[in-house]
Amino acid sequence: RPAQFPSATVLSTATLTPGDSPTPLPSLTPEIVGTAYQFGGIRLVLPDGLGREATGQVVQESEYPGGRQAPASRQILLPQYPIQIVSQRYVYQITIFPVTAIHQMGDDALNSQLEQLQAAAQTGGMLQSVPVFPGPNAKLDYEFNVTPLSFQNGSGFRAIQHYSQALMPLDAAEFLYVFQGMTSDNQYYVSISLPIQANFLNEDPYPSYRATQTALGTPDARFADLETMTWAFYDYNEMVASHLSLAQPQDFFPFLTDLDALVRSLHVGP
């Protein structure tokens, strides 16, 4: 199940009740096969490929992995999401923050990121990288498929990201689907982080490293020393990254189309 942290005090929680689908905006949202849910002012459609259960909770100001602070939020968890990972680096969920509460944190760098995201999303611009709030407790080393994406009453950007705390072969288990956006009235910030896997990579990096080296015709490195190992991992990661940059939605699990549909269905209100 998604990781829970004792420093976050849950003020209320509920199992979301299936109901009528949010009114779709034809220019943004094609028909989505799934179940519609509502939690307070948050409405969404959960595509069948992402499970059929959602729970919501209201959480007061909390501390995330790595000591990162975040203001009070509304969170939606997906207990039947097809990849279940407990992590001390990431929080896998949909989180809605009041924009004023983020600004009141007094973090100039964070406020600048929000302003850049808002400007790019509302003017049709692009971002070179999608900043994640609250960020994972690791360093971003690879990012793919940065794409503008609109939801029912707002817009933002999604990306596939990989974080690490040391140089290791890329493996299936460490990728994130992220979406960061704002409502069109600039009142709410939407942060989504969910695990996603590349179908041609194994969960264990070492078999994946060996198998992919063989499949792509690259000789396996014999690690005579640390420098040889470092360069072998780096070359391998760059090779995998070049393939991932060209990957299609069906090359991932869950499909990118299902995750994008979830985002497009969102409607965020008070």
Side-chain angles (χ1 to χ4, degrees), residues 94-96 151 179-183 188-192 266 268:
I94 302 166
T95 310
I96 310 298
F151 56 100
F179 174 81
Q180 305 287 292
M182 295 178 67
T183 54
Y188 299 103
Y189 186 86
V190 179
S191 178
I192 299 176
L266 273 173
V268 180

Side-chain angles (χ1 to χ4, degrees), residues 75-92:
Q75 301 174 353
I76 293 179
L77 312 178
L78 307 178
Q80 294 182 0
Y81 190 77
I83 302 174
Q84 294 294 317
I85 301 174
V86 176
S87 174
Q88 295 304 311
R89 297 185 190 178
Y90 317 116
V91 176
Y92 303 125

Side-chain angles (χ1 to χ4, degrees), residues 123-233:
T123 62
M126 278 297 296
L127 292 177
Q128 293 298 314
S129 180
V130 180
V132 175
F133 174 76
N137 184 28
K139 178 182 179 295
L140 175 65
D141 51 9
Y142 290 97
E143 185 170 30
F144 318 94
N145 301 99
V146 176
T147 303
L149 193 60
S150 296
F151 56 100
Q152 295 288 301
N153 63 329
S155 56
F157 294 86
R158 70 104 151 116
I160 308 300
Q161 296 184 341
H162 184 276
Y163 293 80
S164 66
Q165 295 177 328
L167 179 61
M168 294 290 289
L170 290 173
D171 66 277
E174 292 294 330
F175 288 96
L176 285 178
Y177 174 96
V178 302
F179 174 81
Q180 305 287 292
M182 295 178 67
T183 54
S184 54
D185 60 6
N186 300 323
Q187 294 300 303
Y188 299 103
Y189 186 86
V190 179
S191 178
I192 299 176
S193 295
L194 294 168
I196 188 171
Q197 295 181 354
N199 288 336
F200 70 90
L201 293 176
N202 295 324
E203 292 188 22
D204 184 339
Y206 289 98
S208 179
Y209 172 82
R210 290 191 292 270
T212 306
Q213 291 280 66
T214 301
L216 298 179
T218 304
D220 189 15
R222 305 303 176 189
F223 302 144
D225 51 46
L226 179 60
E227 183 177 2
T228 301
M229 182 182 72
T230 299
W231 281 109
F233 285 178

